[in-house]
Structure formats: structure tokens, C-alpha cells
Amino acid sequence: MKNTSILTHQPINYLSTLILFLITTLGAELSAQSFAEPIMNPFGLTNVTESALPTFVDLDLDGDMDLLVGEADLSTGLGKFNYFENIGTITEPQYAESQINPFDLSPEPFELLVPTFVDLDGDGDMDLSTIAIGDNFIVIYRYYENIGDSINPKFTLFVDYPYGLDIGGIPVYVDLDGDGDIDIFADSGLGLLYFENIGSQSDPQFADQVEFPFGLVADDYLLANSVDFDNDGDIDLISRGFDADLYFHENKGTVTDPEFNSTVQILIELSPYGENALPTFADLDNDGDMDLLVGEDFGNMQYFENTEIVSTNEQFSNIEVALHPNPVSNVLEIETDSYVEKIEIYSMVGKLINTYSGEVSTINVSNWKVGVYVFKMWDVDGAFITKKVVKE
């Protein structure tokens, strides 16, 4: 194992220096977000032993969001994975009793396990990466390949420092330059690092790290997850300050050439919920906005429902578009009185799925994965509109 000497506090405190959120977006400028009062351990979730480090994923591709929670046990030094399968629906989540280290996962003795999912090899199933933090402040970047199929996951024994990367912090996976493959952001607590994928969607290869790219500067806002939030087609940043609050950094660039605004605005105050609170976002009730789940030091999880739907650019466009049926299983019909010059379709993690030019009235989605997609449609004047479509 390789030591990475970047920690100056106890491992649990180091987590506070790892939390910055990259938000994949497809639509307009950020609307004011309104979150309901938190509910502790909702939907059948139970607290875990100590620190709860959650991440959402549709691991069985049934259209609803499951949950994997990395658990720290500082008394024994043995971290573990808690998997909560969503046995509810896409609009009404309900979680089964947790499974410990399922799918052949083998975490090995480490105090903290911070999980993140990504299809890094482009084979259609979700792989798992973690940051493992243990004795002597060792921080290891670790990767578990999913060798099961798209609905029956099975993970290999982990590989330390995959692709030769020593990222030093929680990885944020996102196609930041719009070229169809997954790039990596990470924040070690000493610097925000960017690793461009110069390989392909199925064979990733990473360039040397670039520190503080795209106009980002060193500050007190630090990095960690990805999610669709405000719908404008480029990648914005949600950061977590040392006060545990969340802040919004707008991308003033484009989907292929990002440039981040250093001016921030507060998104939500999380200070009362612990300095090591780890937030993760998902549209749990399928109402078009991103809800928030926060794991805490003592193993509880607080749920904040987003009560205000994020706006799109509909109010800035003269395009009238109807997409039906929605949800759709086979063929999506597109009805509009305007001439749509181009359609781009994105996944909920910001990946460009397909582009259509000219007049299109139907799209066959029968081979698409179950999930939510964002359609971005332009007219000849450059005005555009975004619509979300659910594939059953």
C-alpha cells in the first residue's frame, strides 16, 4: 500500500476537507431552492453504527434510487458498506433492511469508506470507487469493477490507485468537456485537481493533473459529488464550506469549455447537522427537483425534501413542445408548432447520449436504460427549451 501524507487531523475530521459538490446541469440559471425541514432516517432507513457516508445509485436499474452508505467504526477500525435497496417506487421510496458488504464487496480494515459510483469503463453497469481512510492518516483511492450484469451487480476485489491515479481526495466523476468520456475532479485539501480523460468511453486514460482549472481558485470551499441540479447544459459547482453549509458556483462557460464564477451564493445551511456531514442529492420523489440526504457523525441520515421545482429555460423560449407518452417504454413522440433545429439528450449525470438534427417526430427509446433523461431542444433562432423524460 502507498501512503499519502496529506492529513493533519484525525481521519474523521479530514472528511470535512473533502466535501465539494460538482453538479451536472441541463437548463437555466439556478432558481431559488427551498428545502423542507429535515426528517431523520426516513423511508425505512435506519442509522448505522457511526459516521454515515451515503451515495445514491440505481444499482439494479429498476428506475428508483438505491443507497450505499459507507460506515465508519472508529472503535474497531473496521469500515463497512451498508446497502439499502429501494423496494418502493420512483415517486415513493421505501428502503429494505440494510445488507452488509453485499455483492462480494470486501472493504478490508479501514476506519472510513467514502463510496462513489461511476460507469468508468462504459460497459453499462455501475462500478464503485472509494476513498479509504485508515490508521496513520493513510488515504487510498480504490476501485471495484462491476463484473455482474446491469441488474445483478457483482464486484471484483478492489484495485488500489486505478489507472495510475493518486488523487488524494474524494473523486468527482463528470464529463466536464463534453467529449463523451468521464473526467475526474478531486480535492486533497491541499489543492483542487482535474484529471482529463484523454482515452475513450470504454478505455479511460488520464492526463497529468491540472491544479485549479477553469478559473477555480483556492478558497474555503471543498469538493465531492455529482448530480443534475439547475438544468442549463453545463457543469456548475456546489461546494461545502468548512462551516458545513453548501454554496453554488455558476459555470459561465459552456458544456465543452467550462469557466467557473468565483462569486458564490449560499444554497442551504447544514451547520447544525455536524461538521462532517456528507450530503448527496437525488430526485427521490420524481417531481423534477433534487432532494438532499445528509449523513452525520453518529450514523443518522437527515432528509431534506426540495419543495421548489427547478426552473428550465421555457420562460426564455418561444418553443412549444410536447413529449409523450411520459413515462415512455418504446417510442417517444415529439409534437411542436415550431421548427426544432437540434435535439441533445443527456443522462442525469450530464453525459451526452445522442444528438438529432433537423425535424424529428419520434425517437425509439426501447433500448435505453431505465431512468431519467433530459432533452434540450433548439429552434433556428438559438432559443432552447429543456424537458425531462422518464424511461420505464
Side-chain angles (χ1 to χ4, degrees), residues 183-306:
D183 309 304
I184 299 178
F185 259 110
D187 197 320
S188 68
L190 297 179
L192 177 60
L193 306 178
Y194 173 65
F195 301 84
E196 182 185 358
N197 189 344
I198 55 176
S200 66
Q201 183 178 354
S202 59
D203 184 21
Q205 301 293 325
F206 294 93
D208 292 340
Q209 68 187 39
V210 176
E211 189 171 4
F212 298 112
F214 312 118
L216 294 167
V217 297
D219 54 24
D220 291 335
Y221 308 100
L222 299 165
L223 184 66
N225 208 334
S226 62
V227 63
D228 181 4
F229 205 75
D230 71 350
N231 295 336
D232 73 345
D234 55 32
I235 306 301
D236 303 307
L237 291 174
I238 297 291
S239 63
R240 179 190 185 276
F242 288 107
D243 56 5
D245 295 336
L246 298 184
Y247 299 87
F248 175 69
H249 305 248
E250 185 180 1
N251 186 348
K252 292 294 190 179
T254 68
V255 69
T256 58
D257 187 18
E259 185 73 17
F260 293 101
N261 190 347
S262 60
T263 303
V264 298
Q265 56 181 314
I266 192 165
L267 181 64
I268 186 171
E269 295 182 0
L270 292 180
S271 303
Y273 303 100
E275 66 173 3
N276 298 307
L278 181 64
T280 185
F281 290 92
D283 184 5
L284 282 188
D285 47 12
N286 196 37
D287 64 352
D289 55 38
M290 284 295 165
D291 307 305
L292 172 63
L293 188 73
V294 178
E296 297 181 354
D297 277 351
F298 299 106
N300 291 305
M301 287 173 277
Q302 299 273 2
Y303 171 66
F304 298 77
E305 182 185 357
N306 191 333

Side-chain angles (χ1 to χ4, degrees), residues 41-290:
N41 300 324
F43 314 126
L45 292 173
T46 56
N47 70 308
V48 299
T49 304
E50 210 154 324
S51 289
L53 309 173
T55 186
F56 284 114
V57 62
D58 184 6
L59 200 54
D60 49 11
L61 293 185
D62 61 353
D64 54 38
M65 299 306 295
D66 307 306
L67 186 67
L68 187 73
V69 181
E71 178 181 344
D73 188 341
L74 302 186
S75 63
T76 64
L78 300 176
K80 55 192 173 187
F81 297 113
N82 287 265
Y83 174 64
F84 296 86
E85 181 185 358
N86 190 343
I87 56 175
T89 68
I90 196 170
T91 57
E92 296 182 355
Q94 183 67 29
Y95 289 96
E97 185 176 350
S98 74
Q99 303 173 46
I100 305 300
N101 299 332
F103 315 123
D104 291 339
L105 285 172
S106 175
E108 296 296 312
F110 267 85
E111 292 180 355
L112 285 177
L113 297 168
V114 187
T116 308
F117 283 96
V118 61
D119 183 10
L120 198 56
D121 51 11
D123 63 354
D125 54 38
M126 299 302 289
D127 307 307
L128 172 67
S129 77
T130 66
I131 289 295
I133 306 173
D135 292 337
N136 301 317
F137 312 125
I138 295 174
V139 179
I140 294 180
Y141 176 40
R142 182 167 281 179
Y143 181 71
Y144 302 75
E145 183 183 357
N146 187 346
I147 57 172
D149 57 40
S150 58
I151 59 175
N152 297 294
K154 177 182 175 66
F155 294 95
T156 61
L157 185 66
F158 57 80
V159 174
D160 288 340
Y161 308 105
Y163 305 101
L165 296 174
D166 184 2
I167 63 175
I170 297 175
V172 175
Y173 300 104
V174 64
D175 182 9
L176 197 60
D177 49 11
D179 63 354
D181 54 37
I182 300 296
D183 309 304
I184 299 178
F185 259 110
D187 197 320
S188 68
L190 297 179
L192 177 60
L193 306 178
Y194 173 65
F195 301 84
E196 182 185 358
N197 189 344
I198 55 176
S200 66
Q201 183 178 354
S202 59
D203 184 21
Q205 301 293 325
F206 294 93
D208 292 340
Q209 68 187 39
V210 176
E211 189 171 4
F212 298 112
F214 312 118
L216 294 167
V217 297
D219 54 24
D220 291 335
Y221 308 100
L222 299 165
L223 184 66
N225 208 334
S226 62
V227 63
D228 181 4
F229 205 75
D230 71 350
N231 295 336
D232 73 345
D234 55 32
I235 306 301
D236 303 307
L237 291 174
I238 297 291
S239 63
R240 179 190 185 276
F242 288 107
D243 56 5
D245 295 336
L246 298 184
Y247 299 87
F248 175 69
H249 305 248
E250 185 180 1
N251 186 348
K252 292 294 190 179
T254 68
V255 69
T256 58
D257 187 18
E259 185 73 17
F260 293 101
N261 190 347
S262 60
T263 303
V264 298
Q265 56 181 314
I266 192 165
L267 181 64
I268 186 171
E269 295 182 0
L270 292 180
S271 303
Y273 303 100
E275 66 173 3
N276 298 307
L278 181 64
T280 185
F281 290 92
D283 184 5
L284 282 188
D285 47 12
N286 196 37
D287 64 352
D289 55 38
M290 284 295 165

